[in-house]
Each structure stands twice: as structure tokens, then as C-alpha cells.
Amino acid sequence: MDYMGAHLAFKSRWKATDVDLCRHSMSFVLHNCIRNDFFVSYLFLLEKIPLVKLYALTSEVIDGEKQFYVRAQHFYQNVPATEEGMMGDFLELSEVDIEGSREFLKKFVGGPGKAGTACALDCGCGIGRVSKNVLLPVFETVEMADMMENFLIHAHEHYLGDDADRVETYYCYSLQDLTPPVKKYDVIWIQWVACHLTDKDLSLFLTRCKASLKLNGVIILKDNMAREGCRLDPDDSSLIRHIDIVKSIIRKTDLEIICTQKQEGIPESFVPVWMIALK
């Protein structure tokens, strides 16, 4: 039966487990585990996916691993350290994305009451596509964070070229484990990686980022946004949320949404991309 797979997956969490544990008791446990990590998104997921098939979503430790995040790490081990790899084989959208990011960034950087141009942090940076084309042309220095060491090495040794000398620090961390230095950054850029965090960890990470901003600093979150509810990709553990769900998660932090803008030039057949500025 379907629920037995969930039962066995969570068996290590109990000192003693009855193999004949009833389906309703199992569902109650799963319900609470998933709700703890996906307190906004999980209700939408339950409309599409039976509860007993959602056990891999939770970031509860199972046999020493956090299943939701391990899936993502395994997925990216097979992604090449190239622009094509960073764009998921949709390289033709890179220039559109870069130009939209540049224009959005201009609204919040330079001038009275705006963010400075000393240092930016690129979160989920990959090989540094955003750092190279959006951040380094504006900021004196950049710091980069990604969970994949091979991406960071390729960025430093090849992709960034001479601009690598202006990268102060490379953080090889998943964002749920990253605590950026306090009051260091004028801009923190988070692109196409928020979808790899549970609701709970996204909220906590944004809160830590707020403490890392300088005066007038800005966080920019750019990501795919579902047209309604949530969309789960179990292969790479990405959870695409509707923008209202993302806003609901943000409201649980002390951050203020100062601007939202849809990325122009994305074909209608693709998932919409939105940019959200926070401070």
C-alpha cells in the first residue's frame, strides 16, 4: 500500500514502531512534519499530491540526511558548470534575464537614500552569471555563495576572468546553512534559489539577510513564480510558489516589500519570473 512507503521512510524516527501502524496515524505524523517546514505552501500541494507521497518534501532528518535538500544536491552534481547548465538549457533567455536584472537594480542603487555600491552578495550564484553581468559592473566587490564547490572553482579559475580579483569571498554553503556577515552588504541578490528552500528556511534566511544589510541596503529576490498555488519538481526539489505565497512568507519576517516587477521578455509558455525588492 502507498502509505507503507511513507511509514518505512519515517521508521528511524521512532524508538519502536508498529509495522501495522494505521494509515490515519501515519498521515497525522506526516501532516505535522510537512506543515513545520512548508507552513504556507503545503496546503496547495495537498490539493495535487496525496499526503502519503509528500514525505520526501520534509527536511526532517531521515537516516542522517535531509531528504528535500539532498535531492537538490544530487541533481546539481550532474549539472555542467556552464552558462547552459545555469540556465537549464534555456541559454536564449540569459540576455533577457540579465537586462531585466540590470534595469531593476538601477532603481535601488546609487544616489541619496539608495543602496551604496561597495559590496554585494550573490546567493545561489552557480558559476557567477549574475555576478559577472549584473553585480560586478556596479559594485566594487562581490561575494558569492553556492552549495556546489565545482561551480565556485569554475567561477574563480575560468568564468569570471580578471573580475575574479574583485570577489572577496566564496561561501560553499547551502543557503539554509549560510549566515552572512552582519551589516556588510549594500545588495543581496537571491536568484533562482529561493525555490530550493522550504518555507521555514526561506523565512529564516531572509531574516538573516536583513541583518547583513548596510544602511539603505536592499535584498532582491528573483525567481520563477507559479501562476497559481505551488508546483513541485521532485527531481531537483524545487518548489515554485505563486507570488502571493512568497509575499506571505516575507510578511513573517521584518522585511518590507518596496517593489515587485515581472520580468519582461519571457515567453508565455514559460513559468513567469518575478523580481521582489526588500529592505
Side-chain angles (χ1 to χ4, degrees), residues 193-212:
V193 68
C195 59
H196 288 296
L197 294 173
T198 66
D199 292 359
K200 178 181 178 181
D201 283 339
L202 176 56
S203 175
L204 291 172
F205 180 64
L206 290 174
T207 299
R208 296 196 298 273
C209 285
K210 178 179 173 63
S212 298

Side-chain angles (χ1 to χ4, degrees), residues 8-29:
L8 293 173
F10 279 84
K11 188 173 181 179
S12 62
R13 296 183 61 237
W14 290 282
K15 292 181 180 178
T17 307
D18 182 357
V19 175
D20 295 321
L21 185 68
C22 75
R23 178 173 184 167
H24 297 294
S25 295
M26 188 68 239
S27 296
F28 177 79
V29 173

Side-chain angles (χ1 to χ4, degrees), residues 244-258:
D244 288 343
I245 297 175
V246 176
K247 289 179 179 179
S248 177
I249 294 170
I250 292 169
R251 282 196 293 269
K252 295 180 180 298
T253 71
D254 291 330
L255 288 159
E256 173 190 359
I257 297 173
I258 58 175

